[in-house]
Every structure is written in C-alpha cells, then in structure tokens.
Amino acid sequence: METMTSQAKKCRGSLSLFAILFISAQSFAQKPTDTKLEKMPVGLETDYALSALPPQLRPGATVYLLDPAKGYYIARKGSNGFITFVMRTAWEWAEFRNDVITAISYDAEGARTIFPVYEAAAAMRASGKFTALQVRNIIIDRIKKGIYKAPAKPGLSYMLAPVMRVYPAKPDQHEVMTMVMPHYMFYAPYLTNDDIGNIPDGQADFPVLVNPEAMFLGKRKAPYGYIIVPKGEKERAKIVADNKVLLKRLADYRSFMKI
C-alpha cells in the first residue's frame, strides 16, 4: 500500500482521483507496437469476465466472449438478466491497443442500452474496415442521432475483478495502467461532478462522476456517465486474496496484468 500511495502522489497531476489511489506497483504505461488482438484462452476469459460480478450473480449471468475476427458472441446464456464480458477496445480514446483488458458486467438495463456500444466497437475493429478514430466518430454520431440511448432507469455495473488494465484518465490522456480497483458503477446519464458535489472536476474525493464521451458530446449531453464507488480497503484485499489463482493465470497470460 505504501508503494501504491507513493506512485499515486507522483501521478496526481495527470490522473483522476478515482484511479491514482489504486494504481498497481506493477503498472506499465508503454504504448504497444503491435495492436492486433489475439483471442484470450476461453477458460481464462470466462473466469476473468465472471470475476466482475459478485459470486451470487455468476451462475445465472450471460457470458460474452470476444472473437477478435468477428466481435462478441454469447458463450453461455444466462437467466438473471446480468451480462459480463472482457473489454478490449476503449473506443473513446480512438486507438487500437492490445494491452487494454478489463472485466465489466451490466444489469439488464445496461445490457440493453450500454453493451451494444461495446459490441459495435468490437465488431468494427474486427472487420478491419475502420480506423480507431472512425469507430469513435461513428459511435458519437449514433449517440447524437439517438441510435444508442441512455439507460432509462437507475442501474448498476459491477466491476469487481481483482485487476484491470485501463485508461485511468480522460480521452486526451493515453497512459494505460494496471490497477487494483474493484468498484461499483451506478448509471448517471448527463450528470456532472458538480451535481454530486465532487469538484473541481471530480478531484475532491469519492464518489466521482466519470463520463469520457462528454469531451466530445458536451456537458450534460453524454448518456453514459457513471458514479464510481470503490470497494473498501479490506474488501479489496479480500478480493485479491480470493483470486490469487486467477491473478497468476492473468499474469502468465500477459505480464502487464501482474500486480
């Protein structure tokens, strides 16, 4: 924890608070030279995707896996309305990388309104017909036209996996970090940090409002905002301890997933 805190202080000037508190001591920020995605081993991808959910929801969840040549497909049909998958393309940043790997889950409302954006981004990338910038521009245009809509009611995305490899800042910042930050994301379409009293710009404290596409759509016009609430320190430690085997498998698969 002391190592993490020290690194966080060094990064405070450029990273948002919701990320800097939990950056792993084994973070890698290099930009990859090869951006071609490879298929994750099915068992590993499935287990990692399911780790985003609390244990009681995993047996009934629908699991999506990624075929880099086609996009997402249903590997296991669930019954409780929740879906889970591993995100490999953060479309808002308009670059194709091979070192973004993050387990995300959604309830039924998120599956209906938010996941289709990830599906489209993955399918466009897989086709090889679009640049990363074109993918972002197409999605932004579809949001403006109302093709992709905001959640119609309150809901929740669980991101409780023991590790994630993500962009921790805004789309004009391209550092990618390996982080230990299991957290909850509550849907907050069109909301701002001012609305929840977390100012300036979400830097004060948790909870924090995160909405990357607001940079392109404008304030109070971006439908996919989230209020981020992290797990407590003891809960994070338990999640890491309970997932030692999964963490080793992920680190063996890609060294940048090591914490």
Side-chain angles (χ1 to χ4, degrees):
M1 179 61 69
E2 291 179 358
T3 302
M4 293 166 62
T5 303
S6 175
Q7 288 196 355
K9 289 180 179 178
K10 293 178 182 179
C11 297
R12 189 176 299 273
S14 61
L15 301 179
S16 61
L17 180 64
F18 88 93
I20 62 175
L21 295 179
F22 306 109
I23 293 174
S24 163
Q26 297 295 325
S27 294
F28 291 76
Q30 75 272 17
K31 190 172 183 178
T33 56
D34 180 9
T35 59
K36 183 178 179 180
L37 288 179
E38 295 181 359
K39 174 67 178 170
M40 287 185 71
V42 169
L44 177 61
E45 187 176 6
T46 300
D47 291 345
Y48 182 45
L50 286 169
S51 75
L53 285 162
Q56 72 273 14
L57 293 177
R58 295 172 191 172
T62 294
V63 177
Y64 282 86
L65 299 182
L66 179 66
D67 179 348
K70 296 180 180 180
Y72 285 105
Y73 64 95
I74 295 178
R76 190 189 81 184
K77 182 67 176 178
S79 58
N80 63 10
F82 285 85
I83 68 165
T84 191
F85 63 102
V86 177
M87 183 271 288
R88 304 291 301 276
T89 302
W91 62 270
E92 297 97 331
W93 276 259
E95 64 179 0
F96 293 152
R97 301 181 64 123
N98 64 9
D99 64 340
V100 172
I101 304 179
T102 303
I104 305 176
S105 72
Y106 285 108
D107 63 9
E109 184 62 16
R112 184 182 72 85
T113 59
I114 305 175
F115 180 63
V117 178
Y118 288 100
E119 282 188 297
M124 284 189 279
R125 180 176 183 176
S127 75
K129 298 178 181 179
F130 304 90
T131 67
L133 181 58
Q134 286 174 326
V135 170
R136 183 172 74 187
N137 289 343
I138 289 169
I139 291 175
I140 291 296
D141 184 61
R142 290 176 181 176
I143 292 173
K144 290 179 178 178
K145 290 178 178 177
I147 297 172
Y148 298 138
K149 302 182 184 300
K153 61 180 181 179
L156 176 64
S157 167
Y158 290 101
M159 290 186 66
L160 302 179
V163 65
M164 59 182 180
R165 177 78 172 178
V166 293
Y167 295 96
K170 295 181 179 180
D172 60 349
Q173 298 172 305
H174 289 263
E175 300 87 355
V176 176
M177 298 290 181
T178 301
M179 297 188 291
V180 177
M181 189 191 159
H183 59 280
Y184 305 100
M185 303 200 305
F186 297 91
Y187 309 149
Y190 313 115
L191 212 62
T192 71
N193 274 292
D194 291 30
D195 295 324
I196 63 173
N198 193 309
I199 51 176
D201 194 26
Q203 300 298 315
D205 199 355
F206 287 105
V208 64
L209 194 288
V210 174
N211 196 337
E213 66 270 12
M215 179 172 290
F216 315 106
L217 291 165
K219 191 174 183 179
R220 302 191 189 283
K221 295 181 179 180
Y224 303 128
Y226 302 95
I227 294 176
I228 306 294
V229 179
K231 281 281 196 178
E233 184 176 344
K234 290 183 179 179
E235 294 169 306
R236 293 197 306 273
K238 185 178 187 306
I239 287 173
V240 169
D242 289 346
N243 285 278
K244 284 184 177 180
V245 174
L246 176 59
L247 285 166
K248 184 180 186 307
R249 291 166 64 197
L250 288 166
D252 288 344
Y253 171 66
R254 290 291 184 266
S255 60
F256 54 70
M257 294 297 285
K258 184 178 180 180
I259 62 172

Coordinates of all heavy atoms in Angstrom, one line a residue, residues 130-206:
F130 N -12.2 -0.1 -40.4 CA -12.3 1.2 -39.8 C -11.1 1.5 -39.0 O -10.5 0.6 -38.4 CB -13.6 1.3 -38.9 CG -14.9 0.9 -39.5 CD1 -15.3 -0.4 -39.6 CD2 -15.6 1.9 -40.1 CE1 -16.5 -0.7 -40.2 CE2 -16.8 1.6 -40.7 CZ -17.3 0.3 -40.8
T131 N -10.7 2.7 -39.0 CA -9.6 3.2 -38.1 C -10.3 3.4 -36.7 O -11.5 3.5 -36.6 CB -9.0 4.5 -38.5 OG1 -10.0 5.5 -38.4 CG2 -8.5 4.4 -40.0
A132 N -9.4 3.5 -35.7 CA -10.0 3.7 -34.3 C -10.7 5.0 -34.3 O -11.7 5.2 -33.6 CB -8.8 3.7 -33.3
L133 N -10.2 6.1 -35.0 CA -10.8 7.4 -34.9 C -12.2 7.3 -35.6 O -13.2 7.9 -35.2 CB -10.0 8.4 -35.6 CG -10.5 9.8 -35.7 CD1 -10.8 10.3 -34.3 CD2 -9.6 10.8 -36.4
Q134 N -12.3 6.5 -36.7 CA -13.6 6.3 -37.4 C -14.6 5.6 -36.5 O -15.8 6.0 -36.5 CB -13.4 5.6 -38.7 CG -12.7 6.3 -39.8 CD -12.4 5.5 -41.0 OE1 -12.1 4.3 -40.9 NE2 -12.5 6.1 -42.2
V135 N -14.1 4.7 -35.7 CA -15.0 4.0 -34.8 C -15.6 4.9 -33.8 O -16.8 4.9 -33.5 CB -14.3 2.8 -34.1 CG1 -15.1 2.3 -32.9 CG2 -13.9 1.7 -35.1
R136 N -14.7 5.8 -33.2 CA -15.2 6.7 -32.3 C -16.2 7.7 -32.9 O -17.3 8.0 -32.3 CB -14.0 7.5 -31.6 CG -14.5 8.5 -30.5 CD -13.4 9.1 -29.8 NE -12.7 10.1 -30.6 CZ -11.5 10.7 -30.2 NH1 -11.0 10.4 -29.1 NH2 -11.0 11.6 -31.0
N137 N -15.9 8.2 -34.1 CA -16.7 9.2 -34.7 C -18.1 8.6 -35.1 O -19.1 9.2 -34.9 CB -16.1 9.7 -36.0 CG -14.9 10.6 -35.7 OD1 -14.8 11.1 -34.5 ND2 -14.1 10.9 -36.7
I138 N -18.1 7.3 -35.5 CA -19.4 6.7 -35.8 C -20.2 6.5 -34.6 O -21.4 6.7 -34.6 CB -19.1 5.3 -36.5 CG1 -18.5 5.5 -37.9 CG2 -20.4 4.4 -36.5 CD1 -18.0 4.2 -38.5
I139 N -19.6 6.1 -33.5 CA -20.4 5.9 -32.2 C -20.9 7.2 -31.7 O -22.1 7.3 -31.3 CB -19.5 5.2 -31.2 CG1 -19.2 3.7 -31.6 CG2 -20.2 5.2 -29.8 CD1 -18.3 3.0 -30.7
I140 N -20.1 8.2 -31.7 CA -20.5 9.6 -31.3 C -21.7 10.0 -32.2 O -22.7 10.6 -31.6 CB -19.4 10.6 -31.3 CG1 -18.3 10.3 -30.3 CG2 -19.9 12.0 -31.2 CD1 -18.8 10.4 -28.9
D141 N -21.6 9.8 -33.5 CA -22.7 10.2 -34.4 C -24.0 9.4 -34.1 O -25.1 10.0 -34.1 CB -22.3 10.0 -35.8 CG -23.3 10.4 -36.8 OD1 -23.6 11.6 -36.8 OD2 -23.8 9.6 -37.6
R142 N -23.8 8.2 -33.8 CA -25.0 7.3 -33.4 C -25.7 7.8 -32.1 O -26.9 7.7 -32.0 CB -24.6 5.9 -33.4 CG -24.3 5.3 -34.7 CD -23.8 3.8 -34.6 NE -23.5 3.2 -35.9 CZ -22.9 2.0 -36.0 NH1 -22.7 1.3 -35.0 NH2 -22.6 1.6 -37.2
I143 N -24.8 8.2 -31.2 CA -25.4 8.7 -29.9 C -26.2 10.0 -30.2 O -27.3 10.2 -29.7 CB -24.3 9.0 -28.9 CG1 -23.6 7.7 -28.4 CG2 -24.8 9.8 -27.7 CD1 -22.4 7.8 -27.5
K144 N -25.6 10.9 -31.0 CA -26.3 12.1 -31.3 C -27.6 11.9 -32.0 O -28.6 12.6 -31.8 CB -25.4 13.0 -32.2 CG -24.2 13.6 -31.5 CD -23.3 14.4 -32.4 CE -22.1 15.0 -31.7 NZ -21.3 15.8 -32.6
K145 N -27.7 10.8 -32.8 CA -28.9 10.5 -33.6 C -29.9 9.7 -32.8 O -31.0 9.5 -33.3 CB -28.5 9.8 -34.9 CG -27.8 10.6 -35.9 CD -27.4 9.8 -37.1 CE -26.7 10.6 -38.2 NZ -26.3 9.8 -39.4
G146 N -29.5 9.3 -31.6 CA -30.4 8.6 -30.8 C -30.5 7.1 -31.0 O -31.3 6.4 -30.5
I147 N -29.5 6.6 -31.8 CA -29.5 5.2 -32.1 C -29.0 4.4 -30.8 O -29.6 3.4 -30.5 CB -28.5 4.9 -33.3 CG1 -29.0 5.5 -34.5 CG2 -28.3 3.4 -33.4 CD1 -28.1 5.4 -35.7
Y148 N -28.0 5.0 -30.1 CA -27.6 4.5 -28.8 C -28.2 5.4 -27.8 O -28.1 6.6 -27.8 CB -26.1 4.5 -28.7 CG -25.4 3.6 -29.7 CD1 -24.3 4.0 -30.3 CD2 -25.9 2.3 -30.0 CE1 -23.6 3.1 -31.2 CE2 -25.3 1.5 -30.9 CZ -24.1 1.9 -31.5 OH -23.5 1.1 -32.4
K149 N -29.0 4.9 -26.8 CA -29.7 5.7 -25.9 C -29.1 5.5 -24.5 O -28.5 4.5 -24.1 CB -31.2 5.3 -25.9 CG -31.8 5.4 -27.3 CD -33.3 5.1 -27.2 CE -33.9 5.1 -28.6 NZ -33.8 6.5 -29.2
A150 N -29.5 6.4 -23.6 CA -29.1 6.4 -22.2 C -29.9 5.4 -21.5 O -31.0 5.0 -21.9 CB -29.3 7.8 -21.6
P151 N -29.4 4.8 -20.4 CA -30.2 3.9 -19.5 C -31.5 4.6 -19.2 O -31.5 5.8 -18.8 CB -29.4 3.7 -18.3 CG -28.0 3.8 -18.8 CD -28.0 4.9 -19.8
A152 N -32.6 3.9 -19.2 CA -33.9 4.5 -18.9 C -34.3 4.5 -17.5 O -35.3 5.1 -17.1 CB -35.0 3.8 -19.7
K153 N -33.5 3.8 -16.7 CA -33.8 3.8 -15.2 C -32.5 3.6 -14.5 O -31.4 3.2 -15.1 CB -34.8 2.7 -14.9 CG -34.2 1.3 -15.3 CD -35.3 0.2 -15.0 CE -34.8 -1.2 -15.3 NZ -35.8 -2.2 -15.0
P154 N -32.5 3.8 -13.2 CA -31.2 3.6 -12.4 C -30.8 2.1 -12.6 O -31.6 1.2 -12.7 CB -31.6 3.9 -11.0 CG -32.8 4.8 -11.1 CD -33.5 4.3 -12.3
G155 N -29.5 1.9 -12.5 CA -28.9 0.6 -12.6 C -27.5 0.5 -12.2 O -26.9 1.5 -11.7
L156 N -26.9 -0.6 -12.4 CA -25.6 -0.9 -11.8 C -24.7 -1.7 -12.7 O -25.2 -2.7 -13.2 CB -25.8 -1.6 -10.4 CG -24.5 -2.0 -9.7 CD1 -23.7 -0.8 -9.2 CD2 -24.9 -2.8 -8.4
S157 N -23.5 -1.3 -12.8 CA -22.5 -2.1 -13.4 C -21.5 -2.5 -12.3 O -20.9 -1.7 -11.6 CB -21.7 -1.4 -14.5 OG -20.5 -2.0 -14.9
Y158 N -21.3 -3.9 -12.2 CA -20.2 -4.3 -11.3 C -18.9 -4.5 -12.0 O -18.8 -5.1 -13.1 CB -20.6 -5.7 -10.7 CG -21.8 -5.8 -9.8 CD1 -23.1 -6.2 -10.3 CD2 -21.7 -5.5 -8.5 CE1 -24.1 -6.2 -9.4 CE2 -22.7 -5.5 -7.6 CZ -24.0 -5.9 -8.1 OH -25.1 -6.0 -7.2
M159 N -17.9 -3.9 -11.4 CA -16.5 -4.1 -11.9 C -15.7 -4.6 -10.7 O -14.8 -3.8 -10.1 CB -16.0 -2.9 -12.5 CG -16.6 -2.6 -13.9 SD -15.9 -1.2 -14.8 CE -14.2 -1.8 -15.2
L160 N -15.9 -5.8 -10.2 CA -15.3 -6.3 -9.0 C -14.1 -7.2 -9.2 O -13.6 -7.9 -8.3 CB -16.4 -7.0 -8.2 CG -17.6 -6.2 -7.8 CD1 -18.6 -7.0 -7.0 CD2 -17.2 -4.9 -7.0
A161 N -13.6 -7.3 -10.5 CA -12.5 -8.1 -10.8 C -11.3 -7.7 -10.0 O -11.1 -6.5 -9.6 CB -12.1 -8.1 -12.3
P162 N -10.3 -8.6 -9.7 CA -9.2 -8.2 -8.8 C -8.1 -7.3 -9.5 O -7.3 -6.8 -8.8 CB -8.6 -9.6 -8.5 CG -8.9 -10.5 -9.7 CD -10.3 -10.0 -10.1
V163 N -8.2 -7.2 -10.8 CA -7.2 -6.4 -11.5 C -7.9 -5.9 -12.8 O -8.8 -6.5 -13.4 CB -5.9 -7.1 -11.8 CG1 -6.2 -8.3 -12.8 CG2 -4.8 -6.2 -12.4
M164 N -7.5 -4.7 -13.3 CA -7.9 -4.3 -14.6 C -6.8 -3.5 -15.3 O -6.0 -2.8 -14.6 CB -9.2 -3.4 -14.5 CG -9.1 -2.2 -13.6 SD -10.7 -1.3 -13.5 CE -10.2 0.0 -12.4
R165 N -6.8 -3.5 -16.6 CA -5.9 -2.7 -17.4 C -6.6 -1.7 -18.2 O -7.3 -2.1 -19.2 CB -5.1 -3.7 -18.3 CG -4.1 -3.1 -19.2 CD -2.8 -2.7 -18.5 NE -1.8 -2.3 -19.5 CZ -0.6 -1.9 -19.2 NH1 -0.2 -1.9 -17.9 NH2 0.2 -1.5 -20.1
V166 N -6.5 -0.4 -17.8 CA -7.4 0.6 -18.4 C -6.7 1.9 -18.6 O -5.6 2.1 -18.1 CB -8.6 0.8 -17.5 CG1 -9.5 -0.4 -17.4 CG2 -8.2 1.2 -16.1
Y167 N -7.4 2.8 -19.3 CA -7.1 4.2 -19.3 C -7.7 4.8 -18.0 O -8.9 4.8 -17.9 CB -7.7 4.9 -20.5 CG -7.2 4.5 -21.8 CD1 -7.9 3.6 -22.6 CD2 -6.1 5.1 -22.4 CE1 -7.4 3.2 -23.9 CE2 -5.6 4.8 -23.7 CZ -6.3 3.8 -24.4 OH -5.9 3.5 -25.6
P168 N -6.9 5.4 -17.1 CA -7.5 5.9 -15.9 C -7.8 7.4 -16.0 O -8.2 7.9 -15.0 CB -6.4 5.7 -14.9 CG -5.1 5.9 -15.7 CD -5.4 5.3 -17.1
A169 N -7.7 8.0 -17.1 CA -7.9 9.4 -17.2 C -8.9 9.7 -18.3 O -9.7 8.9 -18.7 CB -6.6 10.1 -17.4
K170 N -8.8 10.9 -18.8 CA -9.7 11.4 -19.9 C -9.2 11.0 -21.3 O -8.0 10.7 -21.4 CB -9.9 12.9 -19.8 CG -10.6 13.3 -18.5 CD -10.8 14.8 -18.5 CE -11.6 15.3 -17.2 NZ -11.7 16.7 -17.2
P171 N -10.1 11.0 -22.3 CA -9.6 10.6 -23.6 C -8.5 11.4 -24.3 O -8.0 11.0 -25.3 CB -10.9 10.7 -24.4 CG -12.0 10.5 -23.4 CD -11.5 11.2 -22.2
D172 N -8.1 12.5 -23.7 CA -6.9 13.2 -24.3 C -5.7 12.8 -23.6 O -4.6 13.3 -23.8 CB -7.1 14.7 -24.1 CG -7.3 15.2 -22.7 OD1 -7.5 14.3 -21.8 OD2 -7.2 16.4 -22.5
Q173 N -5.7 11.8 -22.7 CA -4.6 11.2 -22.0 C -4.5 9.7 -22.3 O -5.5 9.0 -22.1 CB -4.7 11.5 -20.5 CG -4.7 13.0 -20.1 CD -5.0 13.2 -18.7 OE1 -6.0 12.7 -18.1 NE2 -4.1 13.9 -18.0
H174 N -3.3 9.3 -22.7 CA -3.3 7.9 -23.3 C -2.4 7.0 -22.4 O -1.9 5.9 -22.9 CB -2.8 8.0 -24.7 CG -3.8 8.5 -25.6 ND1 -4.6 7.8 -26.4 CD2 -4.1 9.8 -25.9 CE1 -5.4 8.5 -27.1 NE2 -5.2 9.8 -26.8
E175 N -2.2 7.3 -21.2 CA -1.5 6.3 -20.3 C -2.4 5.2 -20.0 O -3.6 5.4 -19.6 CB -1.0 7.0 -19.0 CG -0.1 8.2 -19.2 CD -0.8 9.5 -19.4 OE1 -2.0 9.5 -19.5 OE2 -0.1 10.5 -19.5
V176 N -1.9 4.0 -20.1 CA -2.7 2.8 -19.7 C -2.0 2.2 -18.5 O -0.8 2.1 -18.4 CB -2.7 1.7 -20.8 CG1 -3.4 0.5 -20.4 CG2 -3.4 2.3 -22.1
M177 N -2.9 1.8 -17.5 CA -2.4 1.4 -16.2 C -3.0 0.1 -15.8 O -4.2 -0.2 -16.1 CB -2.7 2.4 -15.1 CG -2.0 3.8 -15.3 SD -0.3 3.7 -15.1 CE 0.2 5.4 -15.4
T178 N -2.2 -0.7 -15.1 CA -2.8 -1.9 -14.4 C -3.1 -1.5 -13.0 O -2.3 -1.0 -12.3 CB -1.7 -3.0 -14.4 OG1 -1.3 -3.3 -15.8 CG2 -2.2 -4.3 -13.8
M179 N -4.4 -1.8 -12.6 CA -4.9 -1.2 -11.4 C -5.6 -2.3 -10.6 O -6.3 -3.2 -11.2 CB -5.8 0.0 -11.6 CG -5.1 1.1 -12.2 SD -6.2 2.6 -12.2 CE -7.4 2.1 -13.4
V180 N -5.6 -2.2 -9.3 CA -6.4 -3.0 -8.4 C -7.5 -2.0 -7.9 O -7.2 -1.2 -7.0 CB -5.6 -3.5 -7.2 CG1 -6.5 -4.3 -6.2 CG2 -4.5 -4.5 -7.7
M181 N -8.6 -2.1 -8.4 CA -9.7 -1.1 -8.0 C -11.1 -1.8 -8.3 O -11.8 -1.3 -9.1 CB -9.6 0.2 -8.8 CG -10.5 1.2 -8.2 SD -10.6 2.7 -9.3 CE -12.2 3.4 -8.7
P182 N -11.5 -2.8 -7.5 CA -12.8 -3.3 -7.6 C -13.8 -2.2 -7.2 O -13.6 -1.6 -6.1 CB -12.8 -4.5 -6.7 CG -11.7 -4.3 -5.8 CD -10.7 -3.5 -6.5
H183 N -14.9 -2.0 -8.0 CA -15.8 -0.9 -7.7 C -17.1 -1.1 -8.3 O -17.3 -2.0 -9.1 CB -15.2 0.4 -8.2 CG -14.9 0.4 -9.7 ND1 -13.8 -0.2 -10.3 CD2 -15.7 0.9 -10.7 CE1 -13.9 0.0 -11.6 NE2 -15.0 0.7 -11.9
Y184 N -18.1 -0.3 -7.9 CA -19.4 -0.2 -8.4 C -19.6 1.0 -9.3 O -19.0 2.1 -9.0 CB -20.5 -0.2 -7.3 CG -20.3 -1.2 -6.3 CD1 -19.7 -1.0 -5.0 CD2 -20.9 -2.5 -6.5 CE1 -19.6 -2.0 -4.1 CE2 -20.8 -3.5 -5.5 CZ -20.1 -3.2 -4.3 OH -20.0 -4.2 -3.3
M185 N -20.3 0.9 -10.4 CA -20.6 2.0 -11.3 C -22.1 2.1 -11.4 O -22.8 1.3 -11.9 CB -20.0 1.8 -12.6 CG -18.5 1.6 -12.6 SD -17.7 1.9 -14.2 CE -18.6 0.9 -15.3
F186 N -22.7 3.2 -10.9 CA -24.1 3.5 -10.9 C -24.4 4.4 -12.1 O -23.7 5.4 -12.3 CB -24.6 4.2 -9.6 CG -24.4 3.3 -8.4 CD1 -23.2 3.4 -7.7 CD2 -25.4 2.4 -8.0 CE1 -23.1 2.5 -6.5 CE2 -25.2 1.6 -6.9 CZ -24.1 1.7 -6.2
Y187 N -25.4 4.1 -12.9 CA -25.7 4.8 -14.1 C -26.1 6.3 -13.7 O -26.9 6.5 -12.9 CB -26.8 4.2 -14.9 CG -26.6 2.7 -15.2 CD1 -27.7 1.9 -15.3 CD2 -25.4 2.2 -15.4 CE1 -27.5 0.5 -15.6 CE2 -25.2 0.9 -15.6 CZ -26.3 0.0 -15.7 OH -26.1 -1.3 -16.0
A188 N -25.4 7.2 -14.4 CA -25.7 8.6 -14.1 C -25.7 9.4 -15.4 O -24.8 10.3 -15.7 CB -24.6 9.2 -13.2
P189 N -26.6 9.1 -16.3 CA -26.6 9.8 -17.6 C -26.8 11.3 -17.5 O -27.6 11.8 -16.7 CB -27.8 9.2 -18.4 CG -28.7 8.6 -17.3 CD -27.7 8.2 -16.2
Y190 N -25.9 12.1 -18.2 CA -26.0 13.5 -18.3 C -25.6 14.2 -17.0 O -25.6 15.5 -16.9 CB -27.4 14.0 -18.7 CG -27.9 13.2 -19.9 CD1 -29.0 12.5 -19.8 CD2 -27.2 13.3 -21.1 CE1 -29.5 11.7 -20.9 CE2 -27.7 12.6 -22.2 CZ -28.8 11.8 -22.1 OH -29.3 11.1 -23.2
L191 N -25.2 13.5 -16.0 CA -24.8 14.1 -14.7 C -23.4 14.7 -14.8 O -22.6 14.3 -15.7 CB -24.8 13.0 -13.6 CG -25.2 13.5 -12.2 CD1 -26.6 14.1 -12.2 CD2 -25.1 12.3 -11.2
T192 N -23.0 15.6 -13.9 CA -21.7 16.1 -13.8 C -21.2 16.0 -12.3 O -22.0 15.7 -11.4 CB -21.6 17.6 -14.2 OG1 -22.3 18.4 -13.1 CG2 -22.3 17.9 -15.5
N193 N -19.9 16.2 -12.1 CA -19.3 16.1 -10.8 C -19.9 17.3 -9.9 O -20.0 17.2 -8.7 CB -17.8 16.2 -10.8 CG -17.2 14.8 -11.0 OD1 -17.3 14.0 -10.1 ND2 -16.6 14.6 -12.1
D194 N -20.2 18.4 -10.6 CA -20.9 19.5 -9.8 C -22.2 19.0 -9.2 O -22.5 19.4 -8.0 CB -21.2 20.7 -10.7 CG -19.9 21.4 -11.3 OD1 -18.9 20.7 -11.4 OD2 -20.0 22.6 -11.5
D195 N -22.9 18.2 -9.9 CA -24.2 17.7 -9.4 C -24.1 16.9 -8.1 O -25.0 16.9 -7.3 CB -24.9 16.9 -10.4 CG -25.3 17.7 -11.7 OD1 -25.6 18.9 -11.5 OD2 -25.2 17.2 -12.8
I196 N -23.0 16.2 -8.0 CA -22.8 15.3 -6.8 C -21.8 16.0 -5.8 O -21.4 15.3 -4.8 CB -22.3 13.9 -7.2 CG1 -20.9 14.0 -7.8 CG2 -23.3 13.2 -8.1 CD1 -20.3 12.6 -8.0
G197 N -21.4 17.2 -6.0 CA -20.6 17.9 -5.1 C -19.1 17.6 -5.1 O -18.4 17.9 -4.2
N198 N -18.7 16.8 -6.1 CA -17.3 16.4 -6.2 C -16.6 17.4 -7.2 O -16.5 17.1 -8.4 CB -17.2 15.0 -6.7 CG -15.8 14.4 -6.5 OD1 -14.8 15.1 -6.9 ND2 -15.7 13.3 -5.9
I199 N -16.1 18.5 -6.7 CA -15.4 19.5 -7.5 C -14.1 19.8 -6.9 O -13.9 19.7 -5.7 CB -16.3 20.7 -7.7 CG1 -16.8 21.2 -6.3 CG2 -17.5 20.4 -8.6 CD1 -17.6 22.5 -6.4
P200 N -13.1 20.3 -7.7 CA -13.2 20.6 -9.1 C -13.0 19.4 -9.9 O -12.1 18.6 -9.7 CB -12.1 21.6 -9.3 CG -11.1 21.3 -8.3 CD -11.8 20.8 -7.1
D201 N -13.9 19.2 -10.9 CA -13.7 18.1 -11.9 C -13.4 16.7 -11.4 O -12.6 16.0 -11.8 CB -12.6 18.5 -12.9 CG -12.6 17.6 -14.2 OD1 -13.7 17.2 -14.5 OD2 -11.6 17.4 -14.8
G202 N -14.1 16.4 -10.3 CA -14.0 15.1 -9.7 C -12.7 14.8 -8.9 O -12.5 13.6 -8.6
Q203 N -12.0 15.8 -8.6 CA -10.7 15.6 -7.9 C -10.8 15.5 -6.4 O -9.8 15.2 -5.7 CB -9.7 16.6 -8.3 CG -9.4 16.7 -9.8 CD -8.8 15.4 -10.3 OE1 -7.9 14.9 -9.7 NE2 -9.3 14.9 -11.4
A204 N -12.0 15.9 -5.8 CA -12.0 16.1 -4.4 C -12.0 14.8 -3.6 O -11.1 14.6 -2.8 CB -13.3 16.9 -4.0
D205 N -12.9 13.9 -3.9 CA -13.0 12.6 -3.1 C -14.0 11.7 -3.8 O -14.7 12.1 -4.7 CB -13.4 13.0 -1.7 CG -13.1 11.8 -0.7 OD1 -12.6 10.8 -1.2 OD2 -13.3 12.0 0.5
F206 N -14.1 10.5 -3.3 CA -15.2 9.6 -3.8 C -16.5 10.0 -3.2 O -16.5 10.6 -2.1 CB -14.9 8.2 -3.5 CG -13.8 7.6 -4.3 CD1 -12.5 7.4 -3.8 CD2 -14.0 7.3 -5.7 CE1 -11.5 6.9 -4.6 CE2 -13.0 6.8 -6.4 CZ -11.7 6.6 -5.9

